[in-house]
Amino acid sequence: LEAIRHLQSRSKENEQELSKFKKGDLEEKVKEMISSGKAIGNVHFIYYDVGNSYSKEEAPKFLDLFRSHIRDKWVAAIGGIDEEEKLFYVTGTDGSISAKEVSSILNRETGSQGGGNDRLAKGGGGDPEKVLQAIDVLEKWIEEQKI
């Protein structure tokens, strides 16, 4: 019984250490994300691919940190690959463009399913090979919005 308690305690310590490491890593990734963005009209657009380094449950943390670093009009999409080798994404906006509409475009172009509201949307199950094409379509759509 004592050995089990020791293992549980050690496991909790390891989880806390991993969480601290990922938080620091996440800060660095958000800085990379911001510098990789581009202006489309008056909107700062970012697509950031996390590959399989982060889970779909962790991806929204990118947007949480991103929001605290940028004040302009923005649209951000974080994409990755899940354990089944399928695309997942989370997208957020400042509200000037609907994240739900961004999600619809990503769904249509990649075969994903998902949705959300005007500021946050999530989806997945699509083809990761179609992401770059979807981003091109999305960028053109943002430009057409004339924001």
Side-chain angles (χ1 to χ4, degrees):
L1 188 59
E2 187 61 36
I4 291 172
R5 286 189 186 129
H6 175 72
L7 287 173
Q8 287 175 328
S9 174
R10 186 72 182 134
S11 176
K12 188 173 183 176
E13 289 171 12
N14 286 341
E15 286 177 24
Q16 290 171 343
E17 282 297 312
L18 181 60
S19 179
K20 286 180 191 174
F21 172 76
K22 279 204 167 183
K23 173 94 168 129
D25 186 51
L26 196 59
E27 288 280 353
E28 288 301 313
K29 298 291 184 199
V30 167
K31 289 177 186 174
E32 283 178 29
M33 211 174 116
I34 292 169
S35 67
S36 72
K38 65 195 271 185
I40 302 175
N42 291 324
V43 176
H44 190 84
F45 174 72
I46 292 170
Y47 173 71
Y48 193 73
D49 184 352
V50 298
N52 59 5
S53 299
Y54 289 87
S55 69
K56 57 186 165 188
E57 292 79 23
E58 294 170 317
K61 293 176 185 174
F62 279 91
L63 290 178
D64 292 341
L65 282 172
F66 178 74
R67 279 186 182 105
S68 67
H69 285 85
I70 193 159
R71 301 287 178 240
D72 300 331
K73 292 180 181 179
W74 59 273
V75 174
I78 314 301
I81 300 173
D82 67 17
E83 58 280 347
E84 296 175 359
E85 300 295 313
K86 296 287 188 180
L87 171 71
F88 71 82
Y89 69 83
V90 60
T91 184
T93 75
D94 69 315
S96 59
I97 290 179
S98 170
K100 189 175 181 179
E101 290 185 54
V102 171
S103 174
S104 291
I105 293 168
L106 293 174
N107 291 339
R108 183 181 69 235
E109 298 298 322
T110 65
S112 295
Q113 294 182 357
N117 59 45
D118 286 339
R119 295 198 178 255
L120 179 71
K122 301 175 187 179
D127 183 352
E129 299 292 320
K130 295 183 178 181
V131 170
L132 294 180
Q133 172 188 330
I135 296 305
D136 286 342
V137 171
L138 183 56
E139 288 176 354
K140 289 175 185 153
W141 179 81
I142 292 169
E143 192 172 340
E144 290 169 1
Q145 302 310 299
K146 307 282 188 212
I147 294 177

